[in-house]
Amino acid sequence: MADRATDQLSRKAYEKELLRLQAELVKLQEWVRAEGVRLVVVFEGRDAAGKGGTIRRVAEHLNPRVARIAALPKPTERQRTQWYFQRYVEHLPAAGEIVLFDRSWYNRAGVEYVMGFCTQPEYQRFLRQCPIFERMLVDDGILLRKYWFSVSDTVQQERFRRRLEDPLRRWKLSPMDLESITRWEAYSRAKDSMLVHTDIAEAPWYVVESDDKRRARLNMIAHLLASVPYHEVAPPVLELPERPPSTGYQRPPRDLQTYVPDHSANL
């Protein structure tokens, strides 16, 4: 993969394959809904590794009533006193649903541990309990897929710089992100420890090389589709009805309603 980092995938080839994969994701969605499947996809990785962009491409053409994104804010004071996994359990799917976790319970193995937001006993307890928790999910019939987006330090630095200079993406950059630059090795050690303890047969980790965002998106989506035994579900037969004849309805005068100004007329 490293050798291919400079072999940029053309936008035309990328968009063509992305559209094909997104069409397959719609088929996957319909299978999930028809069969009552519960699918959880965990997206983890370093800051600016491309998780958010990939999640958007996965969800772009899906029904938000079936496939939803769970991006939890920092826990409240009450949640801090709960069992650690409790607030994540609330967001797990029911039958016929897909949940995409934009970061997940693995916050404790990464940012919370590195930044000192949890104690050493809490961290060790997480490493012991997480495999048990995930085995329970899988044993209950949930399909669990976990992806770690891996980005090099030089590419991360460049993405941070672009965010800093782009007013449309400035909101993506936080003081916590900048702190991760100075703690690169600490995050690396935390990631290695996390994989050792939680890369289990029932719910293995899949690493996505993401220095090239286009390749990362295609590779991740293709892998997800290949890992789930879905099949195409025949859609219901629908026919567009004939519009009935008018019964005399008259629209009220337009000046009785307030319209949005035609901003586009000034372009």
Side-chain angles (χ1 to χ4, degrees):
M1 291 296 294
D3 294 338
R4 299 181 64 186
T6 57
D7 181 18
Q8 288 292 320
L9 185 66
S10 72
R11 177 170 292 278
K12 182 178 180 180
Y14 161 72
E15 291 180 347
K16 179 180 179 180
E17 179 61 7
L18 177 62
L19 189 60
R20 186 190 73 81
L21 292 173
Q22 288 176 324
E24 289 299 314
L25 284 170
V26 173
K27 295 178 185 178
L28 170 66
Q29 166 193 265
E30 294 308 296
W31 173 78
V32 165
R33 182 162 57 178
E35 299 294 332
V37 173
R38 293 171 292 168
L39 174 60
V40 170
V41 186
V42 169
F43 294 80
E44 290 287 347
R46 293 184 185 272
D47 297 315
K51 302 180 297 298
T54 304
I55 292 171
R56 287 194 296 275
R57 272 65 177 188
V58 170
E60 186 174 6
H61 298 290
L62 301 184
N63 184 344
R65 294 183 176 87
V66 176
R68 52 188 169 85
I69 300 171
L72 278 61
K74 66 180 183 179
T76 64
E77 289 303 316
R78 181 175 182 274
Q79 289 171 332
R80 291 179 188 276
T81 67
Q82 297 175 340
W83 176 49
Y84 176 72
F85 295 94
Q86 189 167 336
R87 75 187 189 116
Y88 295 100
V89 170
E90 296 177 6
H91 296 271
L92 292 175
E97 293 180 351
I98 302 170
V99 176
L100 311 173
F101 276 96
D102 185 354
R103 294 200 181 278
S104 64
W105 46 89
Y106 283 100
N107 277 336
R108 175 136 297 177
V111 64
E112 288 191 18
Y113 174 61
V114 173
M115 299 301 297
F117 297 152
C118 69
T119 65
Q120 186 69 20
E122 288 173 333
Y123 170 70
Q124 293 297 334
R125 187 182 308 123
F126 171 83
L127 293 181
R128 291 195 306 271
Q129 290 186 351
C130 185
I132 299 172
F133 172 66
E134 292 182 350
R135 287 188 179 103
M136 291 174 64
L137 298 183
V138 174
D139 184 60
D140 201 60
I142 290 177
L143 298 182
L144 176 59
R145 301 294 182 268
K146 304 186 305 189
Y147 293 96
W148 175 269
F149 284 71
S150 178
V151 64
S152 66
D153 53 351
T154 55
V155 171
Q156 184 195 56
Q157 187 92 356
E158 175 59 20
R159 290 176 183 173
F160 280 163
R161 185 192 62 77
R162 290 202 300 267
R163 289 180 180 183
L164 191 62
E165 296 172 353
D166 186 349
L168 296 181
R169 294 190 292 177
R170 178 64 179 79
W171 63 270
K172 291 184 176 183
L173 197 60
S174 69
M176 198 75 65
D177 295 330
L178 299 180
E179 184 74 19
S180 69
I181 296 175
T182 63
R183 298 179 185 242
W184 177 270
E185 291 191 0
Y187 273 104
S188 296
R189 295 189 182 96
K191 180 261 294 182
D192 293 343
S193 178
M194 179 194 77
L195 293 180
V196 166
H197 287 85
T198 63
D199 187 17
I200 57 177
E202 296 87 346
W205 276 105
Y206 298 103
V207 177
V208 181
E209 295 283 358
S210 60
D211 275 4
D212 185 326
K213 286 185 177 182
R214 293 178 187 173
R215 292 188 185 277
R217 293 164 186 166
L218 298 182
N219 292 341
M220 179 269 149
I221 297 173
H223 181 274
L224 173 64
L225 291 167
S227 74
V228 178
Y230 74 100
H231 57 80
E232 187 169 1
V233 176
V237 178
L238 301 175
E239 292 185 6
L240 193 66
E242 295 290 334
R243 189 175 298 278
S246 172
T247 59
Y249 167 77
Q250 295 292 323
R251 180 175 179 174
R254 296 175 66 91
D255 57 7
L256 295 180
Q257 299 171 334
T258 303
Y259 285 82
V260 172
D262 188 3
H263 169 77
S264 62
N266 300 319
L267 300 179

